[in-house]
Amino acid sequence: MPTSVRLLPLALLVLAACSSGGGETPDAGTPVVEDLCNSREEALTRPECELKPGEPLERFLALDSEPRAGDQDWYRVVLPPGTNARTLLNVNGTYLASSTAVNLSVTILGPQLDGTEGALAKKEDKHAQGAPRPVDIVLPLRDGLESQTLLVLVQDAPDVPSRPNYDARSKYRLTVRIDQNPDAQEPNDTPETATPLVLTQSGEMLMGASTGYLATDNDVDHYAFDLEVGKVAYVRVVAPNLDFVPNWRLSYELWRPRFMEKEDEGVVLPQVRGGELATARKIKVGHAGRWTLVVKGYRGTNDRDTAQGDLSQPYEVEVRVLEEEDAPDRVVTVDDRMGNDRVQEATARNFDSATPGGAGATASFTGRLGYVSDRDWYSIRLPAFSAPTLLRYRLVPLETGGRFPALPVTASRVLHVFTLSSVGANLSEWRENCATNAAVCPRDFSENPDARALVDGFCRRTDLPAPMCVHSSREEAVGNSRFTGLRNFRGVVPVPAHAGAVTYLFLVQDNGSWVDDKDYRLEVSWDAEDADELSRYVDGAEAPVARTLASTTAFPSPPDTAEFSVTGQLSHGHGRLRSGTDRVNGLGVRGPLDYDAVPSDMDSYVFDLPSVPPPEDRTWLLQWEVAKLADGGTPHGLALDLTFCDGDATDAGVGTCTPVRTGNRGPLTLGYRSDALRAWHTPSNAGTSSLQPLYQLEDRPNSTVVTLAPYACGCLERRFIRGGTLRVDVTASERLDYERVNYTLRTGHGDYPQSYPVDGGSTVSCPVVTDGGTTPDADGGVIQNYAEGCNFTYQP
C-alpha cells in the first residue's frame, strides 16, 4: 500500500555522524564531495536534479561537511506526453564499488489515486557484509500521468534508524528509462482480463500461441482457452535462452474452468537461462470449458519474495489440443474412468485355447503415454496347466506418435507385473499374507532391499480391488547408457503349475510427470519350461538330481564325459551379481532399481562323496561351460552355492550331519573372477606378486568355459568326506540375456595334494597332510591323527 511521504524540516535531517565504511576523513586519495539535490524543492527547480531517460547520473550519498551522515538526494522525472497504462518507468540505482556501508534505498513518489502525494514504489539493498546489489524498480504507470513530474528519493536504509550510513569515497549511479510495456497482452493480470488464446486448426490438432513479458515486479499474466471432454491438452511455456539469467524464475499454473481448482503448476530451476515448462492433460468429465494458464515469476513459498520484472526476457505460450490416439483411452465415462487407466478396465487377452509355446500363446499390446497420470493396464489369462511354465515379456518403444515434444522433465517409466492375491478369510488377511507369506507372494530383496517398499505397498494399498503381488518390476535407468531405449524392460516370470485359470496383470506408466505421446509395444508370450527342468519335479516340487562324484587322475579339468558331467538350462531370473555396486551400476540384464520376486532359476545336485581310507583329503576338480547365443554373446555365467556335510558334527545324535554353507570368509559361493586373489592356503604375509587368479577362462567358438585353477587348490576336507554328500545349487550370474542356453557342470575328485606353478617356472604343492600323532582307541590300540592338509572352507 502506498505510504505518504512528507518533506521533513531540514533540522530533522541533520543527524549525528556515524562511523561507516565510507566515513573516513578525506585525504589526498579521497574525492571532494559535492552535495546536491538535498530537498524536494531543489529536485523540482534545479537543472542538475532532473533525471533524463538514458542519461546515467553519479553522486555521493554523503553531506559535504561534518557530520557526513544523513544525506538524502532528491530528483525529478518528467513523464513524456503519451504516458498511459502501458508505460513503464524503470529506475535503477547501484554502487559501482565492490563494497560500501550504504544500504541503498530508492523511493519513487508521485500522485496517488486520491490526489495525495505518496510512495509509488520503494526498494532497498540490504547487503550486510556482502557486495552491494543493484536496486531496480520497474513501475507500471497509469492513464492521466502524461507530462507529470515524479520524484525519486535516494538515501541509506540503516539497520539502526538513528545511525544512517554514508559513503564519501564511492559514488552511486542512478539511471532512468521510460518504455512502453513490450507485453502486447496487457492488461491480463486477473482471470477476468485473461488474454483469449485463439485455437486454430493445424493438421490433426488445434493450436494457439502467444508471446508476453513479465515486465514489472510480481507481474502475473493470464491466458484463457476452451477445452472439451476427452481431448488431450498440451500446454507449454518457454523463456528462450538469451545468454543471461532473467530477473525472475519462470513458473506457471494451469487452472480448471471457473478458476476453482488448480490442475498443475511448475517452476524452472534456479539460475537457468530462460527455461521451459510443459504438461499434457486429459480433460475429464466435469472439467470441460474455459481453462486458464497463469504465467508468473516464482516468488517462493507463500509468495513471500519479489519476482522482479524484466523488460529484456520474453516468454512464449503454446497450446495444442489433440484427439486421444490410444484406442483404450478413447472411452471416457461419467465417473471419469479413462479406458484402461484402472486395473478394473485392463485391456485383456486370454490364452484359454493355447498351450505353452504353441499357437495362440503370444499377445501384443500397443499403447502410449499421452498425458500426465496416464496408466495403461493389460491382463493375460492363462488356462489351468499341470506343469511349471514361463511368462516372457518385453516393452519396446516405437517411433510412431509424438505429436508434441516429450515433457521437459526426467523420464521415469515403469513396468510392473502382478497377480491378485486373495489367500485368507477376509481382505485384511489377504493383505497380510501378500506382504508376509512368501508361499503366497514370492519375494526376494537380497540384491535390491529398496524394493521392499514397492512390494509391500501394492500388497497393502486400499485403492486396489485386491492385494497385488509384484512378480517383476522395471524402472527406466536414464543415467545408464547400457539401458537406452528401455533395454532393461524385459523379463521372464516363472508360472507355477495351477489347477485353475490365473491372470497376470501388466502396468505401464511414468512414475513422475513425463509423457511423450509416442507408441510402445508390450509383447507377452507363454512358454514351456525346458525338459530338463520338468524332469526334476517330484510330486509337484523340484528335487535335487542325485549323482556320485567320480574319481579321476586328470587335473585340473575333469574329463568331458557323462560320468563327470551334469547339464541343464537356467531360464528365468536376473542372475546373481557380485556386489551391490554391480546392481547400482546396472552391470546385469536389469536396471539398478529393477526387481524380480524369483531372483534366478536354480538347478540343484547332490553328489555322493567317496569312501576312502585316512587321510581322506581329496582334490576337487571343477569346471563349468555355458553355451553362447546365436550371435556369439554369452548370456550369463554361473554361480555355485555349496553345502557340505560335516561328518564330525552330527545333528541331535540322530546320525545326520551338520550342513556347512559358509566358510571363514563368507558364504561358500563360487563364481568366476578374473583378478588375482588370495587362495585359502595363501600365507597372510604373502605379497601381492605371489597371487594368481583362482579361475581359468577359456573362450571357445560356441561356449565359455571356466575351470577352477590349480592355484586354488580345490579340495574336499576330511570332515566333508566323512559327511558323505556335497550339494551344489547352480544359478545364473551376471545375466545379460534371457534366451535359453545349455550349461554343463563337470566335477570329480582325485589324489591330494596337487601342485601349481609359480613365477620362475617352479611348482609348489598345495598344503600337505602331516602326522598329527595318535590317540588311544577303545580296543587298546591307537588311532592315527592327521594335521594340516585341506581346509577349503577358508575359500572363497
Side-chain angles (χ1 to χ4, degrees), residues 700-715:
R700 297 179 181 177
N702 298 312
S703 65
T704 300
V705 180
V706 175
T707 305
L708 192 62
Y711 163 76
C713 287
C715 61

Side-chain angles (χ1 to χ4, degrees), residues 545-551 562-566 605-611 724 726 747-749:
V545 175
R547 294 292 299 268
T548 297
L549 194 69
S551 176
E563 184 181 10
F564 294 90
S565 303
V566 292
Y605 304 90
V606 174
F607 294 94
D608 289 331
L609 300 183
S611 177
L726 164 62
T747 186
H749 68 93

Side-chain angles (χ1 to χ4, degrees), residues 504-763:
Y504 282 81
L505 295 157
F506 297 80
L507 171 62
V508 180
Q509 68 174 79
D510 186 83
N511 254 350
S513 298
W514 180 94
V515 293
D516 67 348
D517 194 52
K518 285 190 175 181
D519 292 325
Y520 62 80
R521 183 175 64 249
L522 175 62
E523 303 168 350
V524 183
S525 63
W526 188 30
D527 287 355
E529 262 289 12
D530 62 88
D532 173 76
E533 182 77 10
L534 296 177
S535 69
R536 300 170 184 268
Y537 278 79
V538 177
D539 296 330
E542 187 173 0
V545 175
R547 294 292 299 268
T548 297
L549 194 69
S551 176
T552 179
T553 57
F555 184 78
S557 302
D560 186 6
T561 63
E563 184 181 10
F564 294 90
S565 303
V566 292
T567 61
Q569 286 185 2
L570 299 175
S571 57
H572 61 265
H574 58 80
R576 307 279 285 276
L577 295 175
R578 290 182 297 182
S579 70
T581 302
D582 285 353
R583 179 185 66 82
V584 171
N585 292 333
L587 297 184
V589 71
R590 306 186 317 162
L593 301 178
D594 293 349
Y595 169 77
D596 285 290
V598 180
S600 184
D601 183 10
M602 178 186 293
D603 290 348
S604 299
Y605 304 90
V606 174
F607 294 94
D608 289 331
L609 300 183
S611 177
V612 294
E616 294 99 330
D617 301 52
R618 302 295 290 169
T619 292
W620 185 33
L621 294 80
L622 183 64
Q623 182 184 80
W624 62 83
E625 181 175 6
V626 178
K628 291 184 177 180
L629 300 169
D631 61 4
T634 299
H636 58 74
L638 295 186
L640 310 182
D641 290 305
L642 310 180
T643 303
F644 289 102
C645 185
D646 188 347
D648 295 342
T650 56
D651 184 8
V654 297
T656 59
C657 68
T658 299
V660 177
R661 300 184 179 90
T662 59
N664 294 61
R665 302 180 187 178
L668 287 171
T669 301
L670 305 186
Y672 173 73
R673 292 185 63 170
S674 61
D675 41 343
L677 300 170
R678 293 184 180 274
W680 64 266
H681 56 82
T682 304
S684 59
N685 60 352
T688 56
S689 61
S690 67
L691 305 184
Q692 297 183 34
L694 297 174
Y695 303 92
Q696 297 172 341
L697 177 67
E698 180 184 357
D699 188 14
R700 297 179 181 177
N702 298 312
S703 65
T704 300
V705 180
V706 175
T707 305
L708 192 62
Y711 163 76
C713 287
C715 61
L716 302 170
E717 300 175 21
R718 292 184 289 276
R719 58 180 177 143
F720 297 154
I721 293 292
R722 290 192 286 269
T725 61
L726 164 62
R727 176 171 175 142
V728 181
D729 294 322
V730 181
T731 55
S733 68
E734 287 81 50
R735 183 186 283 279
L736 298 175
D737 199 285
Y738 289 103
E739 290 299 319
R740 297 194 237 208
V741 297
N742 292 322
Y743 72 84
T744 301
L745 175 67
R746 303 183 187 96
T747 186
H749 68 93
D751 291 339
Y752 182 88
Q754 300 285 343
S755 299
Y756 59 93
V758 294
D759 289 343
S762 61
T763 59

